[in-house]
Amino acid sequence: MASEDTDENVNPGTGGPAGTGPDRPAEDSGARAGQPLDPKVAAAEAAGPGNGETVRIDSWIWAVRLIKTRSLGAAACRGGHVHVNGERVKPAYSVRVGDEVRLRHEGRERVVIVKRLIRKRVGAPVAVQCYVDNSPPPPPREAVAPAGLRDRGAGRPTKRDRREMERLRGLAAPGPASGPAAGFAGPGGRPKGR
């Protein structure tokens, strides 16, 4: 009878205890006894690098959704907008857990500390678990008033309106070319090229 009891607790495929075969995970693989593995954690682990592999900084900032595309991430690195631990980095820099990443993008600075390395892009709830966000709060919407919005049905802006909008946006070039006499030559007041 005792041998029959022990045979019931053995996984026939591996000879080991039941529940540790290839079709059931062992308890030490991340799941605790009686608790299912959190799907967010499982997704982040699945997106992570293999043993001994590293993750590029341009790929990581894209994967955790700090930037929209990987090519934008590489361009931000080449432009000097990405710093890791205070140092300007190239797109191929290997990021590690615990690194502080500073990213300036779309007029805002993001400061994050790497908690988990991932290589594949994941959903936003999973991505948030891969870093600690120490970014300063974004400016209030009132402070970032959109310049140049016109009322619906107001028609096309006049040249004067357009110049005013460019001045508010900071696009107008200061100098004689933007004045009322731009394009006129000499005392005759005749336009150039006519």
Side-chain angles (χ1 to χ4, degrees):
M1 260 318 199
S3 63
E4 291 176 36
D5 291 337
T6 56
D7 290 340
E8 291 175 6
N9 292 330
V10 173
N11 188 352
T14 62
T20 59
D23 45 322
R24 296 188 69 185
E27 288 182 17
D28 61 337
S29 68
R32 292 186 184 94
Q35 291 181 344
L37 190 62
D38 186 19
K40 294 178 184 178
V41 173
E45 287 180 2
N51 291 338
E53 293 181 0
T54 60
V55 178
R56 294 169 51 116
I57 185 67
D58 62 341
S59 178
W60 187 82
I61 61 176
W62 165 75
V64 297
R65 298 178 167 267
L66 293 178
I67 219 156
K68 288 185 181 180
T69 65
R70 183 171 171 193
S71 60
L72 280 177
C77 291
R78 284 192 299 270
H81 300 290
V82 179
H83 291 75
V84 177
N85 297 328
E87 305 250 343
R88 186 175 159 181
V89 294
K90 294 183 177 181
Y93 179 85
S94 296
V95 69
R96 287 171 275 161
V97 174
D99 284 348
E100 179 190 57
V101 178
R102 290 181 173 265
L103 167 71
R104 188 180 351 215
H105 181 61
E106 295 179 349
R108 182 174 175 212
E109 185 174 22
R110 301 288 307 264
V111 180
V112 297
I113 297 180
V114 179
K115 272 178 40 179
R116 177 175 282 135
L117 297 178
I118 60 172
R119 169 170 296 182
K120 299 176 186 172
R121 192 166 172 100
V122 293
V126 178
V128 171
Q129 294 183 348
C130 296
Y131 60 86
V132 177
D133 196 357
N134 293 335
S135 304
R141 290 189 177 199
E142 297 83 34
V144 188
L149 286 183
R150 296 175 52 83
D151 293 330
R152 188 175 176 100
R156 273 181 77 168
T158 63
K159 186 181 274 189
R160 184 180 198 176
D161 293 338
R162 180 183 53 82
R163 286 182 180 151
E164 182 67 20
M165 286 188 287
E166 287 177 356
R167 187 184 63 77
L168 287 173
R169 289 183 186 147
L171 300 176
S178 62
F184 290 96
R190 297 182 63 195
K192 291 181 184 177
R194 289 190 184 182

